[in-house]
Amino acid sequence: MKTILYPSFKEKVFYTKLKNGLKVIVIPKNEYFNTTATLSVNLGSINEYDFLKKSESQLTLGSAHFLEHIILENSRVNTLINSGIYINGATTFTNTSYVLKTNNHIIENINSLIEIVLNPKFDDEEILKEKKIIKHEIDMYHDDPEWISRFKLLENCFISYPIKYEIGGTVDTVKNIDKKILNSLYNHFYQPNNMLLVICTPLSPDFIFKNLSSYKGTFTETQYNQKNYIEPSNVANKFDNICLPIKNSRLFVGFKYVTESSFSFKDTLTLELLMEYLFSKNSSFFLKLKKRNIIIGEIDYNIHVNSNIVFVSLNFDTSNLLLAKKLILSLINHKDVKISEDKVLQVKNKKIGNILKASNSIEWLVSSYIKEYFNTHDFFTVIEKLKNISIDDLKNMRKLFFYNFAYSILEVSNC
């Protein structure tokens, strides 16, 4: 057992590795009544697409998400739910997670979760039933204007990187998923050495580690090396517009950057600070939009970093799409944003404060940790890394952002 103290979070984190290769982290939460266990697999829609043969990939989009569904279609899952245990799954672009929350029979329930995920049953009848459920889920997403807009922006930004495909696939691709595809994905990715179990609990780490099941299935020590993706530096479509049933018009902007090597954790945090500097409600750009009564609400932004691919998306509701687009283009093309030391300090302090506040949520803390873990970063070092980012780092990132990121603009109007 290894122990690391993280003073910034006032957390002591305990690590071990089970005999079957599964890495386990315990974050003691003495003040909590419930225990939350999250078992995460380094498999999302992006590496699903990469792994399957090119002839299969587009035909069976949504296989990783389907696999998550079928694993939870298990009589033991129903037994746990009926006894008052919360259990659910989620698939993202980069990983799949299974979450269990319980306040009794804690060890037994966590061991049940491990065995459910590591010993699934792929039944033809259940697969057919699940296709109908997922079709309904896809139809619901396709009724959501924001979902449609976000994936339209991704499609306009990316040429080959598979983030442009929907995580759940399409109605047609889900029809093609079968037991062979599911077994192929499962046997490659669902190996204990490609998984992480994070437990937040009032129980002692010693007790947890001594009683966890090292489920003895047939496993292989597969190597999962982070790879660089082949993606052109230009966007697929620079300007686009669509019409959807929405209350306010909305402007979406995507910024894409393909690096020669992996984008570091420090680089990611510096980019986050720059986005806060450029687009927060205290930024010059936001105040300009506000003064002209162009913006409704705030600017929402999100950053995706996966190995050598960096993507920033931002969007906001607007009363004047034409003028909003003109102003964002002016910001991009003039590249004249001044970086002031006082404001950088304000942005850093705000970011640190928001992280510490958000870390009171177990769900947020665990999901943040898992996301960075599979990017080979230690999330608990985030505060120290933020403190060490200098004004020169921000200036260099500003230069990189304005001169090297390709962009795409999507106008979404009401119809």
Side-chain angles (χ1 to χ4, degrees):
M1 182 173 69
K2 179 181 173 185
T3 307
I4 300 180
L5 180 64
Y6 296 100
S8 296
F9 285 92
K10 299 177 181 175
E11 298 283 9
K12 188 183 282 189
V13 181
F14 298 81
Y15 301 77
T16 197
K17 185 176 179 181
L18 302 184
K19 289 178 183 177
N20 62 10
L22 177 63
K23 292 169 281 292
V24 184
I25 292 170
V26 171
I27 306 172
K29 291 289 180 183
N30 298 326
E31 68 277 20
Y32 282 78
F33 182 59
N34 289 331
T35 288
T36 299
T38 304
L39 183 56
S40 197
V41 188
N42 189 16
L43 167 65
S45 62
I46 290 172
N47 40 1
E48 157 214 312
Y49 184 89
D50 259 2
F51 171 72
L52 296 172
K53 292 176 184 175
K54 294 303 173 190
S55 58
E56 295 175 335
S57 292
Q58 288 200 31
L59 292 175
T60 57
L61 290 169
S63 297
H65 173 253
F66 198 106
L67 192 53
E68 169 231 314
H69 271 246
I70 209 73
I71 284 172
L72 291 179
E73 278 300 318
N74 184 303
S75 59
R76 291 188 69 179
V77 172
N78 294 332
T79 301
L80 288 169
I81 292 171
N82 291 335
S83 67
I85 308 302
Y86 173 89
I87 185 167
N88 207 349
T91 304
T92 69
F93 290 121
T94 55
N95 63 71
T96 305
S97 292
Y98 301 87
V99 182
L100 178 141
K101 297 179 185 178
T102 180
N103 58 23
N104 55 51
H105 305 295
I106 291 168
I107 292 295
E108 293 91 328
N109 289 331
I110 294 175
N111 284 337
S112 292
L113 174 67
I114 293 171
E115 293 184 20
I116 286 164
V117 174
L118 290 181
N119 186 29
K121 302 282 191 296
F122 300 140
D123 178 78
D124 287 326
E125 193 175 320
E126 287 296 340
I127 290 171
L128 191 61
K129 175 184 164 187
E130 208 57 43
K131 287 182 180 183
K132 295 175 183 176
I133 293 170
I134 292 175
K135 177 188 179 299
H136 178 66
E137 192 176 292
I138 291 169
D139 289 341
M140 284 174 60
Y141 280 126
H142 287 182
D143 286 334
D144 181 353
E146 184 163 340
W147 180 267
I148 295 167
S149 302
R150 287 183 185 278
F151 274 94
K152 185 63 178 173
L153 182 67
L154 287 166
E155 184 185 313
N156 288 344
C157 285
F158 290 96
I159 295 165
S160 59
Y161 183 53
I163 196 174
K164 67 180 183 174
Y165 300 119
E166 294 185 42
I167 293 166
T170 67
V171 171
D172 288 335
T173 64
V174 166
K175 286 178 185 175
N176 298 324
I177 296 171
D178 57 23
K179 192 186 288 188
K180 180 186 171 185
I181 292 289
L182 295 175
N183 274 312
S184 178
L185 267 184
Y186 183 88
N187 291 334
H188 184 75
F189 288 100
Y190 276 70
Q191 300 296 330
N193 71 312
N194 193 43
M195 304 168 81
L196 177 70
L197 175 61
V198 182
I199 303 169
C200 296
T201 180
L203 300 182
S204 79
D206 276 339
F207 179 76
I208 293 284
F209 291 150
K210 283 175 184 174
N211 291 283
L212 273 185
S213 165
S214 188
Y215 182 75
K216 298 178 180 65
T218 304
F219 303 117
T220 58
E221 280 283 328
T222 310
Q223 292 300 311
Y224 303 91
N225 298 319
Q226 200 171 41
K227 62 165 281 183
N228 280 355
Y229 292 89
I230 298 171
E231 169 70 26
S233 58
N234 59 295
V235 295
N237 191 4
K238 199 164 188 176
F239 299 104
D240 198 4
N241 61 82
I242 56 175
C243 175
L244 295 169
I246 54 176
K247 182 180 178 182
N248 300 311
S249 296
R250 182 172 287 192
L251 190 72
F252 284 79
V253 189
F255 299 90
K256 178 181 83 171
Y257 178 52
V258 183
T259 72
E260 293 181 0
S261 57
S262 294
F263 208 64
S264 73
F265 193 22
K266 180 184 176 182
D267 289 336
T268 303
L269 294 173
T270 306
L271 181 59
E272 287 181 8
L273 289 180
L274 181 65
M275 292 303 98
E276 191 71 19
Y277 194 100
L278 294 176
F279 301 115
S280 73
K281 61 182 180 182
N282 296 317
S283 68
S284 300
F285 180 72
F286 178 85
L287 294 173
K288 186 185 289 186
L289 294 176
K290 198 75 175 171
K291 186 177 180 180
R292 299 191 186 189
N293 293 318
I294 297 168
I295 191 166
I296 302 166
E298 297 181 12
I299 301 173
D300 176 45
Y301 76 85
N302 184 57
I303 295 174
H304 166 89
V305 176
N306 187 25
S307 189
N308 65 318
I309 304 289
V310 185
F311 179 63
V312 179
S313 62
L314 63 90
N315 69 85
F316 56 91
D317 286 357
T318 178
S319 59
N320 190 327
L321 263 177
L322 188 63
L323 190 49
K325 178 182 173 183
K326 182 179 177 182
L327 289 171
I328 195 76
L329 281 171
S330 175
L331 176 71
I332 294 168
N333 294 326
H334 289 143
K335 309 173 179 29
D336 59 354
V337 176
K338 301 291 187 292
I339 304 288
S340 89
E341 196 153 3
D342 287 346
K343 193 170 177 186
V344 168
L345 186 60
Q346 288 174 12
V347 169
K348 281 172 68 172
N349 288 338
K350 180 185 175 186
K351 180 76 175 173
I352 290 169
N354 287 343
I355 288 172
L356 292 174
K357 183 179 179 182
S359 67
N360 290 321
S361 160
I362 284 178
E363 290 78 9
W364 184 89
L365 184 66
V366 171
S367 66
S368 298
Y369 183 87
I370 289 169
K371 175 187 169 187
E372 297 306 335
Y373 174 85
F374 287 128
N375 274 328
T376 68
H377 305 146
D378 183 351
F379 173 75
F380 285 114
T381 64
V382 64
I383 303 299
E384 285 70 27
K385 289 191 182 297
L386 281 168
K387 287 177 179 176
N388 290 330
I389 293 172
S390 68
I391 187 168
D392 286 337
D393 292 326
L394 260 291
K395 287 178 178 178
N396 290 334
M397 186 57 69
R398 173 195 60 185
K399 184 177 178 182
L400 181 71
F401 182 73
F402 283 119
Y403 286 92
N404 295 83
F405 280 63
Y407 68 87
S408 176
I409 296 178
L410 173 67
E411 300 169 68
V412 185
S413 55
N414 178 44
C415 58

